[in-house]
Amino acid sequence: QNESENAQMPKPYTQYTIFFRLERMRLLREAGFIDDEIRATLRPGHFDQNEHPRPAKYRDVEMPPFWYSSFAKNEHDGKRKHTKKACRFPLKELSQMIAANWKEIDEETSAYTKRLADMELTKYSILLKEDLLKSEEAEAYEIEEATLAKESSDCAVG
């Protein structure tokens, strides 16, 4: 299998990436930086049993559907516009705040983000195995076709 085929399947988010996405939305919400661009990704009334119940600290934080999944990211997020927002935190400052909070993560949040990361890793492993089986079946079929073609050409000559 070549690299371009592998590139189509995104790697699952790590526990830290899941924490980063969750904490980012919490910080933006607390600072009042939820704007129309962010609101456009939210789906009021969406309920995903995999992400609930959230830790108490994050229960009221609105998140886009399947925010914890790199597989769903392409389906739901689409292409985002790269525009600098004056009212939001600078990325460096935001990253430093989240990294500091990661060092102080409570057990409930750690277990929650680990559960989501493990769930996504399991899904990734299953999809990789399915993809590998498909490519092996396709390769076996091509070999069989080539063998049959060679045998029929040998019979025609003989």
Side-chain angles (χ1 to χ4, degrees), residues 118-146:
D118 288 347
M119 181 181 67
E120 289 298 295
L121 182 59
T122 300
K123 184 190 301 183
Y124 178 75
S125 297
I126 290 168
L127 290 173
L128 269 182
K129 286 177 186 174
E130 288 174 358
D131 202 36
L132 181 62
L133 285 174
K134 285 179 190 173
S135 66
E136 286 175 353
E137 287 171 4
E139 188 176 319
Y141 180 75
E142 288 172 8
I143 290 171
E144 186 178 330
E145 275 191 336

Side-chain angles (χ1 to χ4, degrees), residues 11-26:
K11 290 188 177 177
Y13 289 148
T14 63
Q15 181 182 3
Y16 180 77
T17 303
I18 290 171
F19 174 78
F20 189 100
R21 291 175 64 92
L22 185 60
E23 185 69 3
R24 174 185 173 272
M25 287 298 279
R26 185 186 70 79

Side-chain angles (χ1 to χ4, degrees), residues 38-71:
I38 292 174
R39 277 191 196 92
T41 67
L42 304 177
R43 301 290 178 266
H46 170 79
F47 182 83
D48 176 10
Q49 65 182 7
N50 291 324
E51 70 165 296
H52 291 283
R54 287 193 201 136
K57 184 178 183 178
Y58 301 99
R59 285 202 180 115
D60 295 331
V61 177
E62 292 180 89
M63 298 294 289
F66 310 106
W67 60 271
Y68 56 86
S69 177
S70 61
F71 306 106

Side-chain angles (χ1 to χ4, degrees), residues 69-129:
S69 177
S70 61
F71 306 106
K73 183 178 187 331
N74 296 337
E75 296 171 20
H76 295 284
D77 289 356
K79 291 236 180 215
R80 90 177 166 85
K81 296 176 184 173
H82 290 278
T83 56
K84 189 172 183 176
K85 300 287 182 179
C87 64
R88 291 193 192 164
F89 293 112
L91 181 59
K92 184 177 180 180
E93 182 182 333
L94 183 66
S95 295
Q96 289 170 341
M97 291 167 65
I98 294 172
N101 292 347
W102 174 252
K103 289 178 185 175
E104 304 294 325
I105 192 170
D106 60 86
E107 285 184 37
E108 181 185 21
T109 304
S110 179
Y112 174 74
T113 54
K114 178 156 179 36
R115 180 179 62 82
L116 290 175
D118 288 347
M119 181 181 67
E120 289 298 295
L121 182 59
T122 300
K123 184 190 301 183
Y124 178 75
S125 297
I126 290 168
L127 290 173
L128 269 182
K129 286 177 186 174

